[in-house]
Amino acid sequence: MTLAIPPEYCGVAMAATRELIRRAKPATCTSSPCPQSGLQADMLIGAGLVATVEAAAVTMGERGPAPRFVAAVRIRRRHHDGRHLPRHPRRPAGFREGPALPPPARYSGHRHVLANRPDWRVIDNPFGSDDPIIALPAIRPDIALFHCEMADAHGNLWIGRRRELATMAHASAATVATVEQIHDGDFFADETLAAGALPAAYIDAIAHVPHGTWPLAMPGFHDADAGALDAYCAAATTPDGFAAWLAKHLSGTGAA
Amino acid sequence: MSEASRTEFLIATLARLLAGSRRVAVGAQSPIPGSSAFLAQALDLGPRQVTVLGSRRNNDFTEGGRELFDRAAQGRIDAFFLGGGQIDGAANINLVGIGNYPQGKVRFPGSFGSSYLYFLIPRVILFREEHTPRTLVETVDFISAPGTSPANVYRPGGPTALVTGRCVFTFDRDQERFTLTSTHPWSSTQEVRDETGFAFDEPEVIPVTATPDPAMLTMIRGPVRDRIAETYPAFAASLTVV
């Protein structure tokens, strides 16, 4: 199964991630952070749920390397890089369903990335000549998982300008979201709200989980819990430390 | 007013390199470049628009993170910053790891959007504070993004300079080489030679990098600190308070 997850500046469904770790079987998942991840990917990797990561980066940001990601690479699990090789200029290719359109790229310069991506192709730009470009296949995650501001009674989500979440939902076969609030009404009855809505047509399940991004930030609601993130980074440097941290948080005693 | 810290010195040095760049974008994990863009804007050095990825207030994207890439492709971003776990003398950058991928010895976070943005943004300033033979190498172990491309490759963008904790280099895309432009007050040309793993050109006279003036320091310790705190709170807390 392939799981698409958002960057930390969007809403990361951390409460749902803890539940996923409680229930999931080991190493069943390809994680596709869109485009990068931190705590969420690191926890899923540390818990043994992830066989492959396809991402632009996995990092704890200001706190440095993602400890379980780095440890997993060390034991030679398979990880991909370079989702952000160029795509076609002037075309919002993203990773939506449809042809992954060609970028300007230098074959020799990208040889290290391309050597590890047999699914990527160097072709001549069909609209030019002697113009080598790289074509990428679209990715199709099974499930997009994220947390956003609101859901309404009709199953629509409100994501505001966090359009990465829309791209994830469009690309994925199914979308599961947790939300801060339930809106009493219909986003599509109000043009202002409709502009930031993600239609129910893309959504398969919604759960009302206030503070569902903890300990990560939820923009507009709360900041990240710096103390909790520091504690994670300190604990997760060793497998035993990570296991103890996870046990504490899965039992619910570590959550705010 | 106390003297500039090394961090403040680097913020000011990067800010000067943004002179004339109207639209500046700042990517992930870039507190010092982000601060420099805010400083350049505050001092009216050129930037009119500074967009910080991951920020809420300093970010006018309405189409998500991909808008950064679309704007770059459309020529709507003039300057950007990239770093590297390794940077070599041809301005190739490595954000993936040390050793023979995928069985490397050290793993870095990943390439982010480097190989795309390096091709499209005209002024890419490389920044790597650690200036040692392990970071500035003859040849990177993994090319996340190449410094130059053959003439038949569509490439309006690329590196213009490299700022480290010891000096400033400029990059000549035709020669595919760095030139030492200035050394910071606490370093020297000889130290730069000893600590750089790649060959570079040296003019006869190599000046000392300019020290931030009081107006710059006032800005860094006030409005710039406040603006960067939204995205990099721990970094902002480490800056001197006026």
Side-chain angles (χ1 to χ4, degrees):
Chain A
M1 186 185 78
T2 302
L3 181 70
I5 55 177
E8 292 194 347
Y9 54 81
C10 290
V12 179
M14 288 304 301
T17 299
R18 287 188 287 275
E19 195 57 37
L20 193 61
I21 292 172
R22 280 190 193 99
R23 298 184 184 196
K25 294 173 184 169
T28 55
C29 173
T30 293
S31 175
S32 290
C34 302
Q36 72 214 38
S37 185
L39 177 67
Q40 184 183 25
D42 206 56
M43 277 176 62
L44 289 167
I45 293 166
L49 267 60
V50 178
T52 303
V53 176
E54 180 166 17
V58 180
T59 169
M60 296 299 290
E62 282 197 285
R63 290 174 178 80
R68 299 329 300 159
F69 167 67
V70 170
V73 170
R74 205 175 293 133
I75 60 170
R76 301 180 186 180
R77 285 175 188 245
R78 195 160 59 94
H79 294 264
H80 290 312
D81 273 284
R83 173 49 55 181
H84 271 309
L85 266 193
R87 299 184 182 97
H88 197 281
R90 301 176 188 85
R91 196 177 282 269
F95 43 85
R96 287 183 288 186
E97 178 61 1
L101 282 168
R106 173 187 178 184
Y107 178 77
S108 59
H110 283 121
R111 66 185 184 276
H112 290 157
V113 175
L114 290 168
N116 291 284
R117 294 303 308 233
D119 54 332
W120 293 7
R121 300 277 187 273
V122 178
I123 62 172
D124 199 37
N125 181 354
F127 303 108
S129 63
D130 188 24
D131 184 9
I133 54 179
I134 300 173
L136 286 67
I139 62 173
R140 287 223 60 187
D142 296 298
I143 296 177
L145 173 66
F146 56 79
H147 182 88
C148 64
E149 278 88 336
M150 294 187 283
D152 69 14
H154 303 275
N156 303 302
L157 296 175
W158 195 86
I159 60 171
R161 61 182 172 129
R162 301 293 169 191
R163 303 306 298 178
E164 292 92 341
L165 304 180
T167 307
M168 287 167 54
H170 295 171
S172 300
T175 292
V176 175
T178 58
V179 296
E180 283 293 319
Q181 299 173 341
I182 302 295
H183 176 74
D184 185 18
D186 179 352
F187 297 139
F188 288 94
D190 178 334
E191 283 300 305
T192 304
L193 287 174
L198 180 60
Y202 297 103
I203 315 302
D204 296 84
I206 298 170
H208 182 205
V209 186
H211 304 289
T213 64
W214 183 89
L216 298 173
M218 181 59 191
F221 290 87
H222 59 83
D223 292 332
D225 184 337
L229 292 174
D230 290 342
Y232 176 82
C233 288
T237 52
T238 66
D240 289 347
F242 174 79
W245 185 92
L246 197 62
K248 178 181 170 188
H249 286 78
L250 294 188
S251 70
T253 56
Chain B
M1 180 177 289
S2 60
E3 284 188 12
S5 69
R6 290 193 181 188
T7 298
E8 290 169 332
F9 187 97
L10 293 171
I11 292 170
T13 301
L14 289 172
R16 289 193 182 95
L17 291 171
L18 292 174
S21 290
R22 292 180 61 81
R23 297 163 298 190
V24 180
V26 181
Q29 288 190 280
S30 302
I32 291 176
S35 300
S36 78
F38 290 149
L39 178 63
Q41 189 177 26
L43 295 175
D44 212 13
L45 298 179
R48 294 284 179 274
Q49 180 190 74
V50 175
T51 302
V52 175
L53 192 66
S55 166
R56 192 173 165 87
R57 290 193 290 276
N58 299 295
N59 179 340
D60 65 351
F61 295 160
T62 56
E63 289 292 332
R66 75 158 184 260
E67 194 171 350
L68 169 65
F69 299 89
D70 292 340
R71 283 198 200 179
Q74 293 156 356
R76 297 183 201 276
I77 296 174
D78 303 313
F80 190 71
F81 300 91
L82 287 172
Q86 292 179 323
I87 299 170
D88 71 22
N92 299 312
I93 62 174
N94 173 8
L95 292 153
V96 166
I98 306 289
N100 190 20
Y101 181 89
Q103 274 85 39
K105 290 184 293 184
V106 176
R107 172 69 210 201
F108 305 145
S111 297
F112 294 95
S114 63
S115 55
Y116 181 101
L117 298 170
Y118 213 21
F119 275 69
L120 296 170
I121 298 176
R123 181 181 290 186
V124 177
I125 299 166
L126 300 174
F127 173 63
R128 174 71 203 204
E129 187 166 0
E130 181 185 334
H131 182 149
T132 64
R134 78 170 192 155
T135 57
L136 303 190
V137 298
E138 187 171 2
T139 307
V140 295
D141 289 357
F142 187 101
I143 300 175
S144 288
T148 60
S149 299
N152 67 330
V153 170
Y154 177 73
R155 183 160 190 178
T160 58
L162 164 61
V163 175
T164 74
R166 301 186 197 278
C167 70
V168 178
F169 294 103
T170 51
F171 187 72
D172 185 317
R173 293 182 202 173
D174 294 328
Q175 299 296 319
E176 301 188 12
R177 270 176 82 85
F178 285 105
T179 298
L180 181 60
T181 306
S182 66
T183 56
H184 302 337
W186 57 84
S187 187
S188 66
T189 302
Q190 188 57 49
E191 186 183 87
V192 169
R193 285 186 200 123
D194 293 342
E195 296 295 327
T196 306
F198 57 74
F200 56 88
D201 292 333
E202 291 180 32
E204 282 188 18
V205 178
I206 298 166
V208 175
T209 313
T211 301
D213 58 36
M216 282 182 146
L217 289 179
T218 301
M219 284 290 179
I220 292 170
R221 295 170 184 178
V224 168
R225 180 180 182 277
D226 294 344
R227 274 184 91 180
I228 203 69
E230 181 212 5
T231 312
Y232 298 103
F235 171 78
S238 74
L239 290 176
T240 310
V241 185
V242 174

